[in-house]
Amino acid sequence: MTAARQGPAWFTDTAPHHGALAPRALLDTDAASLPLDGAWAFRCSATAAGTAGFEESGFDDGSWARVQVPHCWQLEGVPGPPRYSAPAYTNVTYPFPLDPPDVPDENQTGEYRRRFDLPSAPAGGRWVVRFEGVDSAFEVYLNGERIGDAMGSRLVHEFDVTAGVRPTGNLIAVRVHQWSAGSYLEDQDMWWLSGIFRPVTLLHRPADGIDDLFVHAGFNAAARQGSLLVEGPRGAVVHLPELGIEAPANEPLVVQGVEPWSAEVPRLYRGTLSTPGETVRIAVGFRTVAIEDATLTVNGAPLKLRGVNRHEWHPRTGRTLDLDTMRADVELMKRHNINAVRTSHYPPDARFLALCDEYGLWVLDECDLETHGFVKVGWHRNPSGEPVWRDAFLDRMTRTVERDKNHPCVVGWSLGNESGRGANLESMAAWARQRDPDRFIHYEGDWDSTYVDVYSRMYADHAETELIGRGEEPPASGPAADAHRRALPFVLCEYAHAMGTGPGGLAEYAALFDAYPRIAGGFVWEWIDHGIAQRAPGGPTPGAEFFAYGGDFGEDVHDGNFVADGLLFPDRRPSSGLAELAVAYAPVVLEPRPDGVRVRSRLAHRDTSHLAYRWRIEDDGEAVASGVLDVPALEPGGCADVPLPRSAAAPPPPPGPERWLTVSAHLAEAAPWAGAGHEVAFGQARVDRPEEPPRRPSRPAGDAPCLPLAAGGWQLGPGRFDAAGRLAELAGVPLVGPRLDLWRAPTDNDERAPGTAPAAAWRALGLDRLRHRTVSVAEEQGALSVVAHVMPAGRDVGYEVEYRWHAHDGGLHLDVVGSPLGAWQVPVPRLGVRLAVPAALRRVEWLGLGPGESYPDAVASVRQGRFTACVADLQEPCVRPQENGARRCVRRVTLSGGAAALTVTGGPFILTARPWTSEALAAAAHPTDLVPDPHWLWVTLDAEHHGLGSGACGPVELPQYRLDARRFRLSLGFRAEAAGRKGSGG
Ligand code: GAL
């Protein structure tokens, strides 16, 4: 008997392509072209065999589907059920066996067919078909003839089709396999999606045209002059009208009087490169990237990357983005003071880079490479070190650099992400360095950093980042590597994991970026949640849209909601994390004091003359005075102390209201990414009693007796209490509580922090199932005093709490004092009380920090003031429901609606108000699982919260934001008003 062994297929060959043309820049040309986007006939089959004869012109595809290319075929049908097969999400683990370079027989295959006629074009020349992105491997046929094949999903491949093309009636057929040898190099943490997902174009390549060009444009800051060399075909002419340049290509020029390009002032000089056969538009930005003294510089000024990691994502189209979405990303970034993007973890759609050139963003352009899943087998057979993969690695780097080399926004090349170590990575670096010595080379995966130009790390905590900033980090693995690395600038290629509520600790990272020249900044992980739009099949709101994450499509191997860790929700709604980041990255820092404001510029390439400033004084949120502030234009990095105008020095208010001074900086004129008046920074200071020590809670004397009720319970002024001393009604408004509450619906950071995650510790202790035992209820000198022990079953830790109620001034006053019982080993989620109020009281007006949410270590973007919202708007739409929406430093809140109102004063306290309990919040998998309680709103009033940190993938909260069990006190006033009732005093 003979066993038939499957021969190697082209797509399990490690060779990166067969027959693709050499990589080159993606040029903006006047040569003829024909977009091949739009309707294609499509068929999806379960194995690589596909459809026999599909490539033949005469093949009948009448029964095939029609899809719009570009697309990801797993998202056809979304937000309904996926039509062909489901998307799958894994972070590190490959969703197929580690058997390189082979792939399973189950290998979904998409076949595409489309007809086209040639556009009119000058005679002669060649015809080329260009694919900008096909995941993961594809073969191309024209009129029945096989043209070639390629892999490298996020890379451009071109094929010469001149020989087989006809004036009319051409049939192009493309077969795409989900899995290929290339898949081993594409283990990025994201959905596995397949198909022709970026544009396809037929290009005419004129005889005597321009196949490629390379613009080298430097800027000598000392001499304030530019240098220009445009490499191109012999005889080509460079034309830059604004600079009066009309010169042959390939000749170095010194250009006087140029303005440099930077992310702050993205000055582009537009022009052309021409040959007799073709004219190509170019956009030149003069800038020089250098490393001096372990400091990364551009145009002689230190480069601080205030960046984000950006995957390409859209909740309906996946990694296929249209220009509007790319532009929306860039504008949102600019509006949030972001100045840099790492294109994690592949070169983006090329149009994104053109936008970065135009709007001004520094780009770390990353190659399409990740082999992270080999870590699961101890990096055994990791392609990074195997010679058989060398060509594939080099091909990927070559395609990245050649396509993007003319973008001034690109300041560094990244070899890829999380691919371990190996000679193939070193070869990529060596090739990139000789091809483009004018940019730095980055790779994080090898901490020795021997073949790169920046020392890069992900998720280093604040303390380690500071140590590196000082140059005092532990040595690299040998003396030579150590000496090399100590001379390198440092970059956090990923930090501040923005999963769920958070991240906390941004302000402290920003301070480190400011403090140490060696720290070139970093990139927050990550820009957007990769949620996929789906409709709830049933549940409380059938048909309502939610965003699916790993496991929602029944994947057998997946990493849950780890795919939703961005600063934007999937629908591009900014999260409060993004608001925090905007403050951490603000171009000017404003530090107001009672008599003036210190203004410090973080800009490195421009003065601040494009900014205008305002001041405002508010007493308990009520505007008292405001005006414009004259701040001299600060030089890059400059600082000034500016007095407030005389009119701002209003006499101090009588004791009572808090007076806050707000100073803000705005765009004086419209920018391409925001209108005039857009706020770029603000600062606040309390100016009424700056020397005042923290408020001591007052305990007013009771002014009404506490009377036992015949039916049991107590009447205290407007409040009726049950026999256990729990407030049941206040001035006709029914209430439940308040009583001690320590639990919060765990955040992603609570759930996933390294070691024993807080959420696991809390559940093990039983903080989610506390029991209340009333120890005593007694009337004492007109007050109602209730003492309770609050502890979980089976444990001897918890809290003793005393609630002491007085009638006061027509309302009630409550003093809560909580004292820990037993030996607590874990932090406490919250210290405070919760109560339920009628569901109709859904209008919320508060005096405190707002308008957004705030937590102990994420409190920079909110300001003191008076705010109004409805309860629904206080919730953040986290992809996986969790603790959110807290408002800190609240001194007064009124909940009203349905002709009733409840006001709580005192504190200051931390407020949440939700249409559901924290238990319901914790139990929900998606927002559409949450059912508003028809009767009650759940309100928490807290003394403190545990910090957020970014422990889901990185450091936990800084020590000062850890909430350990401790004695706490809350002093609160309650007043209510119900329709037809008087006497609450409210
Ligand atoms: C990093 C990785 C990213 C992402 C992140 C966690 O290790 O480079 O791709 O997985 O962790 O969200």
Side-chain angles (χ1 to χ4, degrees):
M1 206 173 104
T2 51
R5 195 184 145 74
Q6 292 285 308
W10 67 266
F11 56 88
T12 56
D13 182 348
T14 55
H17 66 89
H18 301 97
L21 295 171
R24 63 188 187 111
L26 208 144
L27 301 175
D28 180 6
T29 163
D30 68 349
S33 67
L34 176 73
L36 295 179
D37 297 343
W40 288 58
F42 178 73
R43 180 174 186 269
C44 195
S45 46
T47 67
T51 311
F54 95 111
E55 71 277 15
E56 298 299 337
S57 190
F59 178 88
D60 179 7
D61 61 20
S63 63
W64 286 24
R66 295 293 179 271
V67 295
Q68 292 296 315
V69 168
H71 78 151
C72 302
W73 77 59
Q74 287 86 353
L75 298 187
E76 287 291 329
V78 160
R83 193 164 296 145
Y84 296 105
S85 66
Y89 163 60
T90 63
N91 170 13
V92 177
T93 313
Y94 287 97
F96 48 80
L98 277 182
D99 190 14
D102 292 314
V103 299
D105 295 345
E106 298 98 342
N107 187 4
Q108 270 217 343
T109 292
E111 288 161 321
Y112 297 78
R113 288 168 51 88
R114 150 170 197 149
R115 291 186 194 277
F116 66 90
D117 299 335
L118 290 187
S120 63
R126 292 175 297 127
W127 290 95
V128 163
V129 61
R130 177 176 73 200
F131 294 85
E132 293 186 44
V134 183
D135 196 328
S136 77
F138 65 110
E139 55 183 334
V140 186
Y141 296 83
L142 183 75
N143 299 327
E145 291 299 318
R146 193 173 194 279
I147 303 294
D149 60 63
M151 38 197 150
S153 299
R154 272 70 59 172
L155 300 166
V156 172
H157 295 93
E158 291 181 326
F159 297 91
D160 192 320
V161 292
T162 315
V165 86
R166 301 190 287 246
T168 57
N170 293 288
L171 185 276
I172 180 166
V174 183
R175 181 180 282 136
V176 182
H177 302 297
Q178 177 172 27
W179 306 131
S180 66
S183 303
Y184 285 96
L185 310 187
E186 296 177 2
D187 188 30
Q188 292 95 339
D189 173 8
M190 58 192 194
W191 293 97
W192 294 93
L193 299 174
S194 326
I196 304 177
F197 75 98
R198 282 188 190 161
V200 187
T201 317
L202 179 78
L203 307 168
H204 183 241
R205 301 298 317 121
D208 216 354
I210 301 168
D211 275 343
D212 203 2
L213 63 93
F214 195 168
V215 176
H216 307 264
F219 183 73
N220 179 331
R224 297 211 66 78
Q225 69 190 17
S227 60
L228 180 66
L229 171 66
V230 181
E231 293 179 56
R234 193 185 308 219
V237 175
V238 184
H239 191 200
L240 288 172
E242 254 193 289
L243 293 171
I245 293 176
E246 184 153 354
N250 306 309
E251 284 185 14
L253 301 172
V254 172
V255 200
Q256 303 296 343
V258 294
E259 295 169 51
W261 188 96
S262 70
E264 293 170 14
V265 185
R267 181 66 163 96
L268 290 175
Y269 293 92
R270 296 191 187 267
T272 54
L273 181 72
S274 306
T275 58
E278 186 171 13
T279 292
V280 166
R281 285 168 285 273
I282 55 175
V284 178
F286 293 88
R287 50 122 195 80
T288 292
V289 182
I291 291 169
E292 300 154 23
D293 242 358
T295 303
L296 191 57
T297 65
V298 174
N299 302 337
L303 176 57
K304 292 288 175 186
L305 299 160
R306 298 192 170 89
V308 292
N309 279 279
R310 174 180 178 272
H311 266 285
E312 294 184 308
W313 190 251
H314 188 283
R316 286 165 190 262
T317 56
R319 279 194 287 282
T320 299
L321 297 195
D322 59 19
L323 189 60
D324 286 348
T325 304
M326 296 180 224
R327 190 180 293 278
D329 277 353
V330 169
E331 292 187 354
L332 270 171
M333 287 177 187
K334 294 290 288 186
R335 286 206 284 272
H336 290 88
N337 298 329
I338 289 163
N339 74 4
V341 180
R342 172 176 176 231
T343 68
S344 53
H345 301 300
Y346 41 79
D349 186 308
R351 293 169 292 174
F352 178 76
L353 295 180
L355 291 170
C356 294
D357 288 341
E358 183 187 323
Y359 283 82
L361 286 168
W362 310 112
V363 174
L364 177 56
D365 194 350
E366 190 149 279
C367 183
D368 188 3
L369 176 70
E370 176 160 341
T371 66
H372 200 180
F374 283 87
V375 74
K376 299 267 172 180
V377 293
W379 292 108
H380 177 61
R381 298 183 71 194
N382 177 22
S384 301
E386 306 251 319
V388 68
W389 292 97
R390 184 172 183 276
D391 285 355
F393 276 57
L394 273 174
D395 181 73
R396 282 169 188 256
M397 197 65 206
T398 317
R399 286 180 193 280
T400 301
V401 172
E402 296 298 356
R403 191 197 73 169
D404 295 342
K405 59 187 183 278
N406 294 319
H407 288 285
C409 64
V410 176
V411 289
W413 302 114
S414 177
L415 306 181
N417 187 55
E418 296 185 318
S419 299
R421 299 164 177 219
N424 296 337
L425 292 160
E426 295 186 41
S427 305
M428 291 167 93
W431 178 85
R433 186 167 286 115
Q434 63 74 29
R435 177 65 175 141
D436 182 17
D438 296 334
R439 290 175 170 105
F440 68 86
I441 292 174
H442 166 273
Y443 175 62
E444 188 273 350
D446 188 344
W447 291 2
D448 269 357
S449 311
T450 47
Y451 48 91
V452 294
D453 304 316
V454 291
Y455 176 26
S456 174
R457 292 282 305 280
M458 48 174 79
Y459 308 110
D461 64 19
H462 298 81
E464 189 182 7
T465 302
E466 176 150 34
L467 212 61
I468 299 171
R470 291 181 196 280
E472 293 168 7
E473 71 276 17
S477 70
D482 192 54
H484 171 74
R485 202 177 70 183
R486 279 188 204 284
L488 300 184
F490 178 69
V491 68
L492 280 165
C493 70
E494 294 176 27
Y495 80 106
H497 195 252
M499 185 177 190
T501 303
L506 284 171
E508 290 81 0
Y509 275 115
L512 293 172
F513 293 5
D514 284 349
Y516 295 102
R518 188 186 186 193
I519 302 180
F523 303 86
V524 165
W525 187 267
E526 71 173 306
W527 176 237
I528 186 168
D529 289 339
H530 313 201
I532 295 180
Q534 285 288 276
R535 296 216 171 91
T541 42
E545 194 165 283
F546 72 94
F547 296 109
Y549 47 78
D552 283 338
F553 296 100
E555 307 102 288
D556 46 4
V557 181
H558 68 82
D559 288 293
N561 67 319
F562 205 58
V563 77
D565 52 5
L567 296 160
L568 297 182
F569 297 109
D571 55 4
R572 287 191 156 66
R573 258 214 266 179
S575 71
S576 56
L578 185 58
E580 286 288 306
L581 191 65
V583 176
Y585 284 177
V588 289
V589 179
L590 302 172
E591 292 162 358
R593 299 180 315 263
D595 57 339
V597 58
R598 172 163 291 182
V599 186
R600 181 163 61 82
S601 171
R602 280 177 167 154
L603 296 167
H605 301 275
R606 74 183 304 175
D607 66 19
T608 56
S609 56
H610 62 299
L611 299 178
Y613 301 79
R614 299 179 196 156
W615 62 270
R616 192 172 69 250
I617 286 182
E618 286 172 350
D619 286 348
D620 273 356
E622 204 67 69
V624 174
S626 62
V628 298
L629 192 66
D630 262 338
V631 177
L634 302 177
E635 287 306 307
C639 183
D641 286 310
V642 183
L644 287 182
R646 288 259 292 275
S647 54
E658 282 187 8
R659 169 164 289 192
W660 286 83
L661 164 66
T662 307
V663 179
S664 49
H666 307 257
L667 292 183
E669 281 166 21
W673 40 271
H678 167 79
E679 185 183 283
V680 300
F682 79 97
Q684 274 194 319
R686 186 172 170 189
V687 294
D688 54 332
R689 283 157 295 177
E691 305 307 328
E692 188 198 45
R695 283 187 172 186
R696 310 202 91 226
S698 62
R699 181 180 284 187
D703 60 10
C706 178
L707 303 170
L709 294 170
W714 308 80
Q715 186 73 39
L716 178 62
R720 187 169 60 73
F721 292 79
D722 66 15
R726 232 178 325 154
L727 182 62
E729 194 185 287
L730 180 65
V733 176
L735 300 170
V736 184
R739 64 177 190 166
L740 184 85
D741 196 34
L742 306 175
W743 172 247
R744 75 179 179 196
T747 63
D748 290 315
N749 293 316
D750 294 337
E751 292 283 7
R752 291 170 176 262
T756 306
W762 295 338
R763 287 195 189 96
L765 186 61
L767 296 188
D768 54 340
R769 48 182 169 82
L770 292 172
R771 294 284 176 264
H772 297 246
R773 177 172 71 82
T774 309
V775 176
S776 61
V777 186
E779 187 273 344
E780 282 172 16
Q781 300 162 351
L784 181 66
S785 164
V786 181
V787 176
H789 279 194
V790 183
M791 302 168 75
R795 301 289 175 159
D796 62 356
V797 297
Y799 260 77
E800 178 174 271
V801 58
E802 184 193 13
Y803 313 91
R804 201 175 173 83
W805 293 94
H806 287 84
H808 178 70
D809 197 19
L812 289 176
H813 186 90
L814 169 66
D815 258 316
V816 185
V817 178
S819 313
L821 293 171
W824 280 75
Q825 309 285 349
V826 300
V828 190
R830 313 178 4 245
L831 290 174
V833 295
R834 91 162 155 195
L835 69 157
V837 307
L841 305 190
R842 62 177 73 90
R843 181 177 185 277
V844 187
E845 191 188 332
W846 75 99
L847 176 66
L849 286 174
E853 69 178 8
S854 47
Y855 286 85
D857 50 353
V859 74
S861 63
V862 287
R863 57 194 81 196
Q864 292 281 349
R866 193 180 290 187
F867 306 96
T868 309
C870 61
V871 166
D873 292 337
L874 295 180
Q875 322 305 314
E876 287 263 306
C878 300
V879 167
R880 185 192 69 84
Q882 55 195 277
E883 164 67 34
N884 73 90
R887 268 66 184 177
R888 292 175 70 78
C889 285
V890 175
R891 286 173 285 128
R892 184 175 67 232
V893 59
T894 299
L895 297 137
S896 60
L902 171 75
T903 298
V904 186
T905 53
F909 51 86
I910 305 167
L911 169 77
T912 72
R914 309 189 170 107
W916 35 71
T917 60
S918 12
E919 289 78 6
L921 188 60
H926 300 105
T928 42
D929 299 337
L930 287 163
V931 196
D933 187 321
H935 306 297
W936 300 109
L937 281 179
W938 297 88
V939 177
T940 60
L941 310 166
D942 295 328
E944 194 45 287
H945 282 199
H946 183 58
L948 298 172
S950 59
C953 181
V956 300
E957 72 292 334
L958 285 161
Q960 62 269 34
Y961 303 121
R962 177 185 160 102
L963 181 59
D964 281 311
R966 59 166 165 82
R967 192 168 187 273
F968 76 94
R969 180 174 177 177
L970 265 175
S971 183
L972 305 166
F974 291 83
R975 299 152 81 84
E977 217 177 332
R981 290 281 297 250
K982 276 201 164 174
S984 68

